[in-house]
Amino acid sequence: TGPGNPPPPVPATRADLVDVTAPMVGTFYIAPAPGEPPFVEVGSRIRVGQTVCILEAMKLMNELESEVAGEVLEVLVDDGTPVEFGQVLMRVKPG
């Protein structure tokens, strides 16, 4: 790394952000039903206890509630995508 070289990429996890992770294996849904508005979008303000998505596991729809209040900065999973336990679904800037 010398003069004129680009800086290294910013790490995926920033200390000032909170990761919202999948508490189970399932299918990620950002809206309550097809064609309905999403629970959250990038830029949404959320509060503790607010539903941020649904994880479907074995035909059960599990609402995932936020454990932090703040602003959604990233949604990392596409609607209808299978997710793994512990996978980061979105990142929130607390505040």
Side-chain angles (χ1 to χ4, degrees):
T1 325
N5 288 343
V10 177
T13 302
R14 291 177 25 197
D16 59 333
L17 301 184
V18 174
D19 291 343
V20 177
T21 58
M24 65 187 76
V25 173
T27 303
F28 173 86
Y29 294 107
I30 196 71
E36 291 194 24
F39 290 111
V40 297
E41 300 174 283
V42 172
S44 294
R45 300 285 311 165
I46 59 172
R47 62 188 188 286
V48 174
Q50 177 178 339
T51 300
V52 294
C53 67
I54 290 177
L55 293 177
E56 178 190 355
M58 299 174 61
K59 302 294 180 200
L60 292 176
M61 299 296 181
N62 302 283
E63 292 187 354
L64 182 59
E65 295 180 352
S66 176
E67 296 178 4
V68 63
E71 179 184 356
V72 177
L73 291 189
E74 295 179 279
V75 177
L76 303 168
V77 182
D78 291 328
D79 193 49
T81 303
V83 296
E84 298 294 325
F85 172 80
Q87 182 174 341
V88 178
L89 305 174
M90 53 190 76
R91 292 200 170 103
V92 176
K93 183 176 184 178

